[in-house]
Amino acid sequence: MSTPAQAAQALFELTYDTVPTAMFKAPGRVNLIGGHTDYNEGLVLPAAINFHTVIAVSPNSDNCINAVSARFGAEVQSWQISSEEQQDNDNAPWFNYLIGLCRSFLLTGLDIKGMNVAIASNVPLNAGLASSAALEIAFAMALSEQNQLHLSNLALAQLAQRSEYQYVGFECGLMDQMISACAREDHAMMIDCMDMSAKPIEIPDNLSLLIFMPTQPLKRSADDYHLRQHECAQAAQHFGVESLRELTLSQLEQGKASLSPTLYKRALHVLGENARVYSAGKALQRGQLAKFSQIMAQAHESMRDNFELSVPQIDQLVDSINQVVGDKGGVRITGGGVGGCVVALIDHDYTEAVFSAVEGEFSKQTGVDVTTFICHPSDGVHQLSIEQA
């Protein structure tokens, strides 16, 4: 099977009958802990994973972005570069991410020129593993480097988030774009979404990073995601703060009587989750796996009970894994609670037993098959040499 880099280069050559002049590679991500804290200006602890989107490019003289995707068919999509508002491409929604980034660059005062583009990716779709962010960040670096803008990786993440919010219509936090842009191999990254600072947290080499994705769709609607955003904003407004990051637990408890039970639970999750992210990062740094396991269990319970974004089958999957690893690994729902995935960071020695439990007992009891991804914490976006493909 070809790598995304090989596939992107081959597609480029087939489509444009020439070799690309540059290639850019950006990873997907898994969020270890920090569910729905990013858009509340809180703390998150994601890691980039060794599933990537690769973009092969070369300049053109027709002032157009011409793009083709291996994943979404071989038809070339084209967009005339302009700062003026133009109709989105309803037939190729993936192409709107590229259009949105171009608009974001232009309206920031950054000039861009025409490019031919070919895209390949192995980041799983609809799994909460940031396939869209990987596309955005790879293309953002392509725009930056091909136009000699040489923007920082943080700037790429900010432009990508802005374009997704303004032009794609998804009001996301900064986490996905920032980890895809700024990740470090063998590390998770604690990101403060208020001041956009980031601290790498080394993942001990005796731990396996696993993602379990049910093959049947168990996720809730994206409407639930937006509803939680709205509820968090309502809770913040109730207390007269810009975001829940500015609210303290004592303030929340003092104002509990004047808050609806639903909004109280949403705020309680966010405040507790910020504390859990910080503690989880410290536990990893100190090699305190039992403590990390406990914190991850608390995070899953809060997503289930306070944020109400899990589903019974996901809860059972988490329980099945926990029964095997005990305090030798952390397990929780991931993907914002909408993607329907489970992440586990566990002692290597328990990996095979976990596979057996998931593929055997869990699937037999629920009738739900699970795809397991064995991941490695990856570097953020970077340029590839053509030879690397």
Side-chain angles (χ1 to χ4, degrees):
M1 181 180 295
S2 63
T3 68
Q6 292 167 336
Q9 181 169 343
L11 179 61
F12 189 96
E13 294 174 2
L14 178 66
T15 304
Y16 304 109
D17 197 27
T18 187
V19 176
T21 58
M23 298 178 67
F24 302 89
K25 177 180 181 181
R29 68 95 186 97
V30 64
N31 190 21
L32 298 179
I33 187 169
H36 291 259
T37 48
D38 58 341
Y39 59 76
N40 287 294
E41 297 189 324
L43 302 176
V44 290
L45 188 63
I49 55 176
N50 53 318
F51 291 84
H52 299 89
T53 293
V54 174
I55 291 185
V57 302
S58 68
N60 65 42
S61 58
D62 60 7
N63 203 39
C64 284
I65 301 297
N66 304 311
V68 61
S69 168
R71 177 169 265 173
F72 296 107
E75 183 177 351
V76 176
Q77 306 295 323
S78 295
W79 182 76
Q80 187 76 32
I81 293 174
S82 171
S83 59
E84 297 179 2
E85 193 76 14
Q86 297 188 33
Q87 188 173 2
D88 289 338
N89 190 325
D90 293 332
N91 295 322
W94 61 270
F95 190 56
N96 292 331
Y97 288 93
L98 308 192
I99 297 173
L101 269 162
C102 291
R103 289 175 177 169
S104 194
F105 271 64
L106 291 169
L107 293 178
T108 307
L110 301 170
D111 290 332
I112 58 174
K113 298 176 182 178
M115 290 195 307
N116 294 331
V117 178
I119 304 164
S121 179
N122 63 0
V123 184
L125 292 174
N126 302 317
L129 300 178
S131 58
S132 59
L135 172 62
E136 292 165 346
I137 295 300
F139 185 63
M141 178 167 272
L143 287 174
S144 174
E145 297 306 306
Q146 290 295 284
N147 291 283
Q148 298 184 334
L149 301 172
H150 306 302
L151 299 174
S152 70
N153 286 16
L154 177 57
L156 298 180
Q158 291 172 307
L159 284 164
Q161 182 208 20
R162 184 184 310 161
S163 72
E164 184 157 351
Y165 173 55
Q166 293 181 337
Y167 303 114
V168 179
F170 187 72
E171 192 174 348
C172 60
L174 186 64
M175 172 180 65
D176 291 0
Q177 292 82 4
M178 191 165 175
I179 190 64
S180 186
C182 303
R184 183 185 298 182
E185 188 172 11
D186 297 325
H187 291 71
M189 186 165 287
M190 187 180 294
I191 300 172
D192 187 325
C193 297
M194 176 176 278
D195 62 14
M196 291 175 292
S197 61
K199 178 182 179 181
I201 304 289
E202 186 173 7
I203 295 180
D205 58 12
N206 66 313
L207 300 183
S208 294
L209 177 58
L210 309 173
I211 300 170
F212 302 91
M213 185 177 72
T215 55
Q216 294 94 320
L218 301 178
K219 64 179 183 178
R220 292 175 177 269
S221 166
D223 291 341
D224 288 331
Y225 181 97
H226 294 302
L227 176 59
R228 296 302 182 275
Q229 283 185 311
H230 179 66
E231 290 167 340
C232 290
Q234 281 184 299
Q237 183 179 26
H238 176 84
F239 287 99
V241 295
E242 290 294 322
S243 72
L244 289 177
R245 178 65 182 279
E246 300 176 34
L247 188 66
T248 66
L249 185 58
S250 62
Q251 288 173 320
L252 176 62
E253 295 301 334
Q254 289 172 10
K256 179 178 180 180
S258 61
L259 202 62
S260 74
T262 295
L263 295 187
Y264 169 78
K265 288 196 296 183
R266 305 300 186 251
L268 183 63
H269 166 75
V270 173
L271 270 60
E273 192 78 344
N274 284 328
R276 286 187 288 270
V277 171
Y278 182 81
S279 297
K282 289 294 185 183
L284 277 181
Q285 285 181 310
R286 296 168 180 169
Q288 298 171 330
L289 187 54
K291 183 175 182 180
F292 179 79
S293 303
Q294 181 183 36
I295 296 166
M296 289 280 277
Q298 293 168 350
H300 180 78
E301 290 167 3
S302 185
M303 280 291 291
R304 180 192 67 204
D305 300 334
N306 292 326
F307 229 64
E308 299 176 287
L309 273 184
S310 188
V311 294
Q313 297 95 327
I314 291 293
D315 295 335
Q316 189 168 346
L317 179 55
V318 169
D319 289 342
S320 296
I321 300 169
N322 274 324
Q323 287 173 13
V324 175
V325 300
D327 65 358
K328 300 299 182 182
V331 187
R332 78 166 190 100
I333 190 172
T334 193
V338 177
C341 274
V342 169
V343 61
L345 190 61
I346 65 173
D347 188 301
H348 283 323
D349 293 343
Y350 290 79
T351 302
E352 290 301 325
V354 167
F355 288 168
S356 297
V358 171
E359 295 170 3
E361 179 181 332
F362 170 78
S363 293
K364 288 178 182 178
Q365 290 179 352
T366 63
V368 175
D369 293 326
V370 175
T371 300
T372 302
F373 301 101
I374 303 174
C375 298
H376 180 79
S378 174
D379 269 335
V381 66
H382 55 278
Q383 185 169 350
L384 298 172
S385 65
I386 302 300
E387 291 76 18
Q388 285 180 281

